[in-house]
Amino acid sequence: MAVKFYQKENQVPLEMHKVRMVQKLTLLPVEERLRAIQEAGNNTFLLQNRDIYMDMITDSGVNGMSDKQVASMLVADDSYAGSETWNRAKAALKEVFGVDNALPVHQGRAAENILAEALVKPGQKALMNFHFTTTKAHITRCGGEVIELVDPKGLKPQSDDLFKGDFNLDSLRNCIKETTPENIAFIRVEAGTNLIGGQPVSLKNMLDVAGIAKENGVISVLDASLLQDNVYFMKTREEQCKDMTTKEIYHTLADNFDIIYFSARKLGFSRGGFIISKDAKWTNQLMEFIPLYEGFLTYGGMEVRSIEAAAQGLLESLDMEYINQGPEFIAYLAKELDDYGVPVILPAGGLGCHLNCSEFVPDMPHNQYPAAAVGAAVYIAGGIRGMERGTVSEQREEDGTERYAELELQRLAVPRRVFTLSQIKYCADRVKWVWDNRKLIGGLEWTMEPKVLRFFFGRMKEIGHWQEDLAAKFREDFGDSL
């Protein structure tokens, strides 16, 4: 239940923690920010942390850990085999999901690699509400094809729909019929659908998808990396979940999906990841790949202190006062920007606030990369590092043509328990300035384009000299302010 303020004008999301350790930040002058983004090839991943004021590129592995998580790291058992740390992690997974069968991996994409290696055969299709970058890369690497079946409502930038990540169930049934079950590797539900704005999936829709998979003899997989945000939305938006405990929701999902995997960099606020199942036949099938790719079955490439922290973080993910911090602060930022007239994805989802860059630069073609251009502009304006979630985050078709993104988004992630409310308001202020000066924003072109996951380390340059013009306008408007 939200804490109400007596004076309505003071109503803000309330931090349910106190700060006991701080890290110094740097805010460079705008001219140095211009230099930094150009030296980074207009790729925010290539910026140096020393050049960033607000790091909003991701919430993966950069959330603020609790005191209990930090304390748990001191009792880690670093035995190669038979580790008590692994036993405590399995106990936490049992408590949260109600499962006995678990495998450790070093992060979420490692789980995707193992699932692809074990389950995807050349020519098979993987059906999902929407793809994630690394998920798709692993499936296509193994000769598979990704089919996206998100409900059309999920691609509307703004609507009143509360679960825009839902599968279109009619499309799913038709696709299974046309493809035939033996040609389907698995059906994957992504909680908190990342590339369309962190949009949640309803519990009803998840269970319907799992039921359809079972009816047709197809493996059902849940990517639970963003599940804690999704559970928050289920509890606050879905009638059937309001009287369920968070644990009941987690257990219900584990009871119905064949395989669940997740990154503990997100769910658990630590490092590493897990693959779990109610039925041992699935973990037994995947088990042989753990020593091959990850490490032994009691650490799976994870450092044991991180396993301890992840176990404690999983237990804390049952607490609504723990899992509300992301969605409520993201909603606040999205509302601030919407009130300013800035186009954002609404309703706000989890993970971060998403700028609708197609409206920032409506005349810019996809092959000049609108979302990346807006991201560079936001960094120049405020030292704020976001992440491109548009066409740059796609991968080219086999014939070399671009696959244009359905949505051109710049994601401003909100790591949990990291930023103060004044910093959130600073972010909104600088994005508003970029919006008001959007006519200065120009396009980008490749100078070095990797073939796979190009958004991580590709490099681009501005078309023309729009970035210098933007920096000059900032100096004109802000004087001697940074």
Side-chain angles (χ1 to χ4, degrees):
M1 184 176 294
V3 177
K4 292 185 178 180
F5 283 65
Y6 178 61
Q7 298 291 318
K8 291 184 179 180
E9 64 271 20
N10 294 334
Q11 189 67 51
V12 294
L14 191 64
E15 291 90 345
M16 298 305 294
H17 59 269
K18 61 182 178 181
V19 178
R20 300 178 64 188
M21 182 180 292
V22 297
Q23 184 177 20
K24 189 177 185 299
L25 295 174
T26 301
L27 181 56
L28 299 176
V30 65
E31 293 80 10
E32 293 186 37
R33 299 198 293 269
L34 172 64
R35 170 195 55 76
I37 194 66
Q38 292 182 340
E39 288 181 354
N42 287 283
N43 184 341
T44 56
F45 274 99
L46 301 182
L47 288 166
Q48 299 300 303
N49 189 51
R50 61 176 176 267
D51 297 333
I52 296 163
Y53 176 62
M54 288 185 72
D55 194 354
M56 306 181 80
I57 197 167
T58 185
D59 67 342
S60 179
V62 294
N63 298 292
M65 289 199 295
S66 71
D67 52 355
K68 291 183 179 179
Q69 284 183 284
V70 175
S72 72
M73 298 169 78
L74 298 177
V75 298
D77 175 5
D78 60 0
S79 301
Y80 189 92
S83 168
E84 285 303 313
T85 285
W86 177 240
N87 290 335
R88 286 189 283 271
K90 286 189 70 176
L93 290 164
K94 173 76 170 178
E95 175 71 10
V96 175
F97 286 99
V99 299
D100 293 307
N101 309 297
L103 300 171
V105 291
H106 77 267
Q107 65 181 95
R109 69 196 52 166
E112 293 170 345
N113 172 53
I114 288 170
L115 288 169
E117 287 281 345
L119 303 178
V120 178
K121 298 176 182 176
Q124 284 190 320
K125 294 176 170 56
L127 315 184
M128 52 192 71
N129 46 349
F130 211 78
H131 80 281
F132 184 60
T133 51
T134 55
T135 321
K136 183 175 182 177
H138 282 301
I139 290 168
T140 57
R141 177 183 59 80
C142 291
E145 180 186 352
V146 169
I147 304 295
E148 295 170 347
L149 299 170
V150 71
D151 194 285
K153 65 189 179 184
L155 301 179
K156 294 180 180 179
Q158 296 192 352
S159 72
D160 294 327
D161 198 287
L162 301 179
F163 291 101
K164 291 164 67 174
D166 282 356
F167 258 85
N168 185 307
L169 298 178
D170 289 338
S171 296
L172 176 60
R173 292 186 181 95
N174 291 336
C175 188
I176 294 172
K177 184 177 180 180
E178 292 171 6
T179 305
T180 68
E182 61 270 20
N183 291 315
I184 298 172
F186 52 78
I187 301 172
R188 168 183 171 271
V189 177
E190 182 180 329
T193 325
N194 195 314
L195 295 183
I196 59 171
Q199 294 299 311
V201 185
S202 69
L203 178 62
K204 181 181 185 306
N205 190 260
M206 286 190 185
L207 298 181
D208 285 343
V209 171
I212 291 170
K214 187 174 183 179
E215 289 169 12
N216 289 276
V218 179
I219 300 168
S220 60
V221 175
L222 173 63
D223 179 349
S225 299
L226 294 172
L227 184 58
Q228 65 183 24
D229 287 352
N230 208 119
V231 168
Y232 169 85
F233 290 124
M234 289 170 172
K235 283 281 294 170
T236 56
R237 296 179 179 178
E238 191 169 4
E239 193 62 39
Q240 77 177 91
C241 295
K242 288 181 179 177
D243 294 327
M244 296 176 70
T245 66
T246 54
K247 186 191 293 188
E248 286 171 340
I249 296 174
Y250 283 108
H251 281 223
T252 298
L253 292 170
D255 287 344
N256 284 273
F257 279 87
D258 293 322
I259 299 169
I260 296 177
Y261 75 92
F262 61 91
S263 168
R265 298 175 69 90
K266 295 179 180 293
L267 180 59
F269 288 8
S270 178
R271 301 287 192 278
F274 300 92
I275 303 171
I276 61 175
S277 179
K278 196 83 171 180
D279 190 335
K281 77 175 182 179
W282 301 115
T283 46
N284 288 342
Q285 182 177 344
L286 301 172
M287 184 186 301
E288 63 188 73
F289 293 94
I290 301 297
L292 182 62
Y293 290 113
E294 298 296 298
F296 194 61
L297 297 175
T298 56
Y299 71 94
M302 281 190 277
E303 199 274 331
V304 288
R305 281 166 282 275
S306 295
I307 299 175
E308 291 281 3
Q312 176 60 35
L314 283 169
L315 296 174
E316 292 173 1
S317 72
L318 297 174
D319 185 345
M320 278 291 284
E321 289 187 352
Y322 172 95
I323 66 176
N324 71 354
Q325 295 294 280
E328 291 186 3
F329 278 79
I330 291 163
Y332 181 84
L333 175 57
K335 184 179 185 306
E336 285 273 290
L337 290 172
D338 185 53
D339 288 347
Y340 287 151
V342 177
V344 295
I345 297 298
L346 292 175
L351 204 161
C353 176
H354 294 73
L355 309 180
N356 183 6
C357 299
S358 295
E359 293 191 32
F360 272 77
V361 282
D363 298 324
M364 184 181 293
H366 285 280
N367 61 5
Q368 291 185 16
Y369 310 106
V374 171
V378 169
Y379 174 76
I380 292 169
I384 300 163
R385 171 161 74 166
M387 184 190 291
E388 198 274 359
R389 299 278 73 166
T391 295
V392 174
S393 293
E394 297 290 344
Q395 61 187 43
R396 289 185 183 268
E397 306 290 1
E398 290 185 5
D399 63 2
T401 57
E402 280 282 19
R403 184 188 190 279
Y404 296 140
E406 284 83 355
L407 296 170
E408 293 283 357
L409 306 180
Q410 176 64 205
R411 187 183 78 195
L412 300 174
V414 180
R416 304 332 182 231
R417 303 177 298 205
V418 171
F419 296 128
T420 64
L421 193 62
S422 66
Q423 289 169 320
I424 295 293
K425 293 183 77 68
Y426 167 85
C427 174
D429 180 84
R430 290 302 187 260
V431 172
K432 165 62 171 168
W433 182 86
V434 172
W435 170 247
D436 287 346
N437 290 277
R438 60 192 179 277
K439 291 183 178 179
L440 294 176
I441 301 174
L444 300 170
E445 60 185 1
W446 291 105
T447 61
M448 193 279 282
E449 182 184 356
K451 290 184 179 181
V452 179
L453 299 177
R454 60 188 182 176
F455 65 93
F456 276 135
F457 35 83
R459 304 182 73 89
M460 309 176 97
K461 67 177 181 179
E462 61 181 330
I463 298 173
H465 301 282
W466 65 267
Q467 293 179 332
E468 288 80 1
D469 294 341
L470 190 73
K473 183 64 165 62
F474 181 94
R475 182 57 69 204
E476 176 186 330
D477 287 354
F478 286 91
D480 60 0
S481 170
L482 297 171

